[in-house]
Amino acid sequence: MSHWLDIVVATPAHSSVAGPLTYASESPLAPGQLVRVPLGRREVLGVVWAERDDAGHLSAGQAKSVAAVLDGVDPLSSGWRELIGFTASYYQRSLGEVALAALPPQLRELGALQLARRLKRAAQAGQEPAARPVLPELSAQQQTALLAFAEAEKPALLFGATGSGKTEVYLRAAEQVLDAEPGAQVLVMVPEINLTPQLQSRLHERFAHLGAGRVVTLHSNLTPAQRLKAWLAAHSGQAQVVLGTRMAVLASLPGLRLIVVDEEHDPSYKQQEGARYSARDLAIYRARLESQRLAGGTAQAGGTAAPCRVLLGSATPSLESWQACLKGRYLRLDMPDRIGAAQGGVGPQVQLLDMGLQARGTVLAPALMQAIAERVARGEQSLIFLNRRGYAPVLACHDCGWKSQCAHCSAFRVFHKLDRSLRCHHCGHAEPVPRGCPDCGNVDIAPVGRGTEKLEEHLSELLADLRRPDGSPVRVARIDADSTRGKGALQSQLTQMHEGHTDVLVGTQMVTKGHDFRNITLVAAVNPDGSLFSSDFRAPERLFALLMQACGRAGRQASQGGRSQMWVQTLHPGHPLFAALKRHDYPGFAQDELRHRQGAGLPPFGHAALLRAEARTQEAAQAFLREVAEAAVQAGLPGGQRVVLYPAVPMSLQRLANVERAQMLLESASRPALQQFLAAWQPLLAQVRAQAAHRSLIRWAIDVDPLSI
Ligand code: ADP
Ligand code: ZN
Ligand code: ZN
């Protein structure tokens, strides 16, 4: 007799209405079991979701049979399946897409079986437990934060200045969890792959006593074999500490008791394609889910800490998390002081340079150059930050007005001097710089504006005559996506900086994140004004975080405290954002910004989603959006009364790689209403899409809680 099973396989993005597929099996299979099943002509990986009573609408002869059972791998837990189910429904994607994207593709291969057995054996074989390392004595603020965290029942936000020792708090919290329960697991998330090596070595060092293979890293840059191995280690419980980027939030972690989200405000936690999930938000949800499951589904009894905790950390929290603290949903843990800072040391002194008072065309104000020169003479380092890579953002002909427009995007191609190319930073289209203007033949085409490459050149020229304390010439270096393309390039450039070979480092936001440079006493933001008046309501929040983060790179040693500085060149020195920066006052900034958001009904006070459409023409993309909005009104969709649909508009990057893009914003004061509406809207979107009039439509996607608008 056959057993009927609902099995989830990779399904196209928009078949959210279509659930799992039905298959037959000779033997009963547990929910969560990994299997291989026929799909069309292929055999694909699947996850048993549930056993069914019958074959449903299929006749017994129609249902295909499970081809193989990956019985070397334990079934995925009900908690994991629930997390995947929530992610799919909240972010309006298909269950199959989300589930299969969370699994390493190589599981499909039978080699996984052997690997799993090997892992099991390795885990069983006795270990060479190393001694525990000697731990640094905690600062008073670290101690207070840890105690409060241990007693709290809700998610906690560690609001700690850069250099206040947040990482040590994460490590101790992890240690407590691992000590308390033999099979416990901890997930530590960081926003970027670049930040994993440093933390990885600290984790390995700290948890060496647990035995080999207990710390693994999970991110998208692993080879398929590495990813499989790390995933299996997490799934089997062998790995007790999993360090990862956003994808790790969906890993199978049967013993999960703590999730740490470092730099929780970082936009990299939001997935920007497929299921556009926020790994930070999912971490909160997952911890709650696990806690409820562990507590047997009953409400928490007073006084006992939740069995699965979440610890967010940032010097500039997202306004969502900050508001959650104000409302008492999260517990705030404050660590305002840097480790070893002199009493009351608040960080670098902020200098605002009014660029309106400088000579026309000034790139770096003389006062700033003077301050940099003083650092060089003292053997200290400076960090110059400009959020635009390449040499110049555009190449132009001053005779006829030609500009280096990308042929495929509504953007300019950026001039890269090093290889004399014009490169589109959006579609990647690259060409050698033409000999003369393509329109009028004028040979005098010139760069306009400035990127990191040109800034590096300019600084080298301005500082050419200066000498370091040992009499050698000044060294200017650059770190951005271009200078770090080669394997190991970033690491070697960072080493140059750490070892003091570099005097002045020019870079994009890449250099502002996480690096613990010890000898920087000056940080400068060359041209941050663009974000002050952006159409994207989150731009000021991002700018403030970026500037605070950049600021945190300076004066990391107490001995430098007094003379470390952050310089900001701006045409708007009176802007309240800069005033808050000068005071190192995130709470003040947050208060202003939240008041503004509340007035406008923007997140975190309201909830938003975007419907994006891509087509060959802008007209077709917008027509689709208008039509589906109209269809929603006609159909009187549930939740629709409480959802505002704004008019269709072109996206800010309107054309990308020859595809025209448009979007429509949806807002609601009620998250459930918005969710209800979106779920009911999906079938209508598919219907309208299927109509002949929209043949030219390429695709559409819903972005729930979009980060940029
Ligand atoms: P954050 O993540 O808050 O920016 P880090 O965790 O990088 O700060 O800590 C800053 C520096 O202080 C690091 O070099 C770290 O090793 C050191 N540190 C952290 N806690 C302590 C402590 N309790 N005693 C001594 N040094 C510490
Ligand atoms: Zn010309
Ligand atoms: Zn392009």
Side-chain angles (χ1 to χ4, degrees):
M1 183 206 119
S2 275
H3 295 264
W4 304 110
L5 300 168
D6 274 341
I7 294 182
V8 163
V9 296
T11 36
H14 295 307
S15 42
S16 56
V17 254
L21 303 176
T22 304
Y23 287 90
S25 164
E26 284 311 308
S27 51
L29 291 176
Q33 180 65 58
L34 287 160
V35 293
R36 294 198 311 165
V37 292
L39 184 70
R41 293 170 174 205
R42 294 176 308 143
E43 208 171 273
V44 297
L45 184 64
V47 183
V48 176
W49 220 252
E51 178 134 12
R52 337 174 23 113
D53 296 336
D54 53 41
H57 66 279
L58 297 174
S59 66
Q62 272 177 323
K64 294 195 174 138
S65 298
V66 170
V69 180
L70 280 70
D71 50 11
V73 186
D74 289 338
L76 292 151
S77 70
S78 63
W80 184 83
R81 282 177 281 128
E82 205 173 322
L83 173 70
I84 296 295
F86 170 80
T87 306
S89 93
Y90 187 82
Y91 293 103
Q92 306 292 328
R93 305 296 286 197
S94 76
L95 190 59
E97 184 197 20
V98 176
L100 274 295
L103 297 172
Q106 274 215 344
L107 267 178
R108 203 174 40 227
E109 272 128 63
L110 275 175
L113 281 176
Q114 286 107 41
L115 196 42
R117 290 204 189 100
R118 220 178 320 152
L119 272 169
K120 255 191 189 151
R121 242 177 286 136
Q124 282 154 7
Q127 313 147 8
E128 15 37 297
R132 279 179 195 249
V134 180
L135 306 182
E137 197 179 318
L138 293 177
S139 70
Q141 288 176 359
Q142 285 172 327
Q143 249 165 31
T144 310
L146 271 165
L147 276 176
F149 180 66
E151 283 170 8
E153 294 170 51
K154 43 191 170 192
L157 171 68
L158 184 57
F159 172 51
T162 315
S164 61
K166 293 187 288 296
T167 312
E168 186 61 35
V169 174
Y170 305 150
L171 296 177
R172 296 290 177 108
E175 194 171 29
Q176 283 168 8
V177 163
L178 297 176
D179 281 350
E181 192 186 332
Q185 290 181 305
V186 175
L187 171 63
V188 180
M189 292 204 289
V190 289
E192 278 185 35
I193 293 166
N194 287 335
L195 299 176
T196 58
Q198 308 169 65
L199 194 53
Q200 194 180 359
S201 56
R202 280 185 81 175
L203 289 169
H204 275 290
E205 204 177 300
R206 185 59 64 91
F207 296 110
H209 63 275
L210 296 174
R214 296 294 182 188
V215 180
V216 300
T217 305
L218 205 53
H219 58 66
S220 55
N221 251 22
L222 300 178
T223 65
Q226 287 170 328
R227 184 171 161 197
L228 174 64
K229 198 172 163 205
W231 185 89
L232 281 170
H235 174 63
S236 69
Q238 194 207 340
Q240 291 193 272
V241 181
V242 175
L243 169 63
T245 51
R246 62 173 179 259
M247 69 184 292
V249 80
L250 295 176
S252 165
L253 294 157
L256 187 62
R257 296 294 179 273
L258 171 66
I259 309 177
V260 172
V261 186
D262 189 24
E263 308 288 2
E264 64 90 25
H265 65 280
D266 198 294
S268 309
Y269 282 121
K270 184 84 156 67
Q271 169 84 11
Q272 292 298 349
E273 57 188 29
R276 290 163 165 80
Y277 62 83
S278 155
R280 179 204 51 224
D281 295 352
L282 284 182
I284 300 280
Y285 180 85
R286 185 172 191 175
R288 194 172 63 209
L289 191 70
E290 294 288 338
S291 293
Q292 282 167 356
R293 228 163 45 85
L294 289 165
T298 57
Q300 285 290 305
T304 46
C308 181
R309 301 296 312 282
V310 57
L311 178 58
L312 312 177
S314 176
T316 50
S318 63
L319 289 175
E320 281 79 0
S321 299
W322 191 255
Q323 175 68 8
C325 289
L326 294 177
K327 286 278 160 206
R329 285 190 288 118
Y330 299 176
L331 175 72
R332 207 175 96 196
L333 311 167
D334 289 356
M335 297 205 303
D337 296 335
R338 292 187 179 197
I339 292 283
Q343 282 280 307
V346 285
Q349 179 198 11
V350 176
Q351 308 271 342
L352 297 177
L353 264 172
D354 187 345
M355 293 309 275
L357 304 179
Q358 310 295 324
R360 259 200 78 165
T362 302
V363 180
L364 295 160
L368 173 58
M369 286 313 299
Q370 174 66 28
I372 295 173
E374 283 167 17
R375 263 73 194 178
V376 173
R378 282 204 297 263
E380 296 168 1
Q381 295 171 309
S382 300
L383 182 72
I384 316 297
F385 160 68
L386 175 66
N387 227 2
R388 173 177 273 150
R389 66 195 170 88
Y391 187 80
V394 55
L395 208 59
C397 167
H398 293 295
D399 276 5
C400 76
W402 171 86
K403 288 193 179 68
S404 56
Q405 170 81 44
C406 176
H408 313 292
C409 305
S410 51
F412 293 114
R413 282 174 302 164
V414 176
F415 173 41
H416 289 251
K417 194 177 177 187
L418 209 63
D419 59 1
R420 298 204 58 80
S421 67
L422 286 177
R423 228 180 281 159
C424 173
H425 286 185
H426 300 286
C427 72
H429 179 64
E431 268 174 1
V433 170
R435 281 177 188 286
C437 169
D439 285 357
C440 75
N442 170 20
V443 290
D444 198 18
I445 49 178
V448 179
R450 151 180 341 260
T452 44
E453 205 182 316
K454 189 168 177 184
L455 188 64
E456 179 193 15
E457 184 184 276
H458 186 65
L459 266 163
S460 302
E461 284 165 13
L462 289 175
L463 299 171
D465 297 335
L466 275 182
R467 288 293 172 269
R468 307 157 54 130
D470 65 2
S472 62
V474 179
R475 277 180 254 188
V476 180
R478 168 169 61 94
I479 291 188
D480 55 30
D482 300 307
S483 78
T484 55
R485 247 180 250 283
K487 202 170 164 59
L490 175 65
Q491 213 44 47
S492 85
Q493 279 161 325
L494 291 174
T495 305
Q496 293 282 312
M497 187 69 185
H498 282 297
E499 293 183 351
H501 300 299
T502 303
D503 301 297
V504 182
L505 182 64
V506 176
T508 53
Q509 63 174 355
M510 235 171 137
V511 297
T512 66
K513 288 190 184 175
H515 308 291
D516 190 15
F517 300 122
R518 297 339 282 285
N519 199 26
I520 295 179
T521 58
L522 182 147
V523 171
V526 174
N527 183 15
D529 283 352
S531 308
L532 291 178
F533 309 101
S534 165
S535 63
D536 187 342
F537 72 88
R538 278 199 178 83
E541 179 184 355
R542 275 199 295 267
L543 176 63
F544 190 81
L546 203 62
L547 293 176
M548 283 287 280
Q549 205 152 25
C551 201
R553 298 307 111 205
R556 287 175 76 94
Q557 287 184 56
S559 58
Q560 308 156 341
R563 56 176 191 283
S564 68
Q565 293 177 333
M566 162 101 191
W567 292 70
V568 178
Q569 299 197 136
T570 175
L571 286 167
H572 308 277
H575 198 285
L577 186 149
F578 293 133
L581 180 74
K582 230 172 138 70
R583 303 188 307 263
H584 301 273
D585 181 11
Y586 171 83
F589 167 77
Q591 192 181 2
D592 283 354
E593 201 62 22
L594 282 172
R595 194 181 306 129
H596 165 74
R597 297 241 190 126
Q598 184 161 26
L602 291 167
F605 301 96
H607 305 280
L610 280 177
L611 174 64
R612 299 208 170 97
E614 301 185 343
R616 299 218 188 285
T617 66
Q618 183 61 220
E619 180 37 46
Q622 291 195 23
F624 171 76
L625 295 176
R626 278 195 303 271
E627 217 163 304
V628 292
E630 183 54 35
V633 174
Q634 295 287 327
L637 295 186
Q641 300 285 350
R642 307 188 59 189
V643 175
V644 179
L645 279 78
Y646 287 86
V649 291
M651 282 176 64
S652 51
L653 184 69
Q654 178 177 335
R655 189 157 47 101
L656 176 67
N658 287 327
V659 172
E660 287 284 339
R661 311 173 336 144
Q663 69 182 28
M664 176 179 280
L665 178 65
L666 288 80
E667 269 179 9
S668 176
S670 154
R671 200 192 285 275
L674 183 59
Q675 280 286 318
Q676 217 184 4
F677 177 84
L678 290 174
W681 205 22
Q682 289 251 22
L684 289 185
L685 294 173
Q687 258 172 41
V688 175
R689 164 74 176 85
Q691 286 160 17
H694 292 292
R695 284 246 175 80
S696 115
L697 194 79
I698 293 171
R699 53 179 164 239
W700 53 268
I702 293 174
D703 188 349
V704 181
D705 304 333
L707 262 200
S708 45
I709 287 181

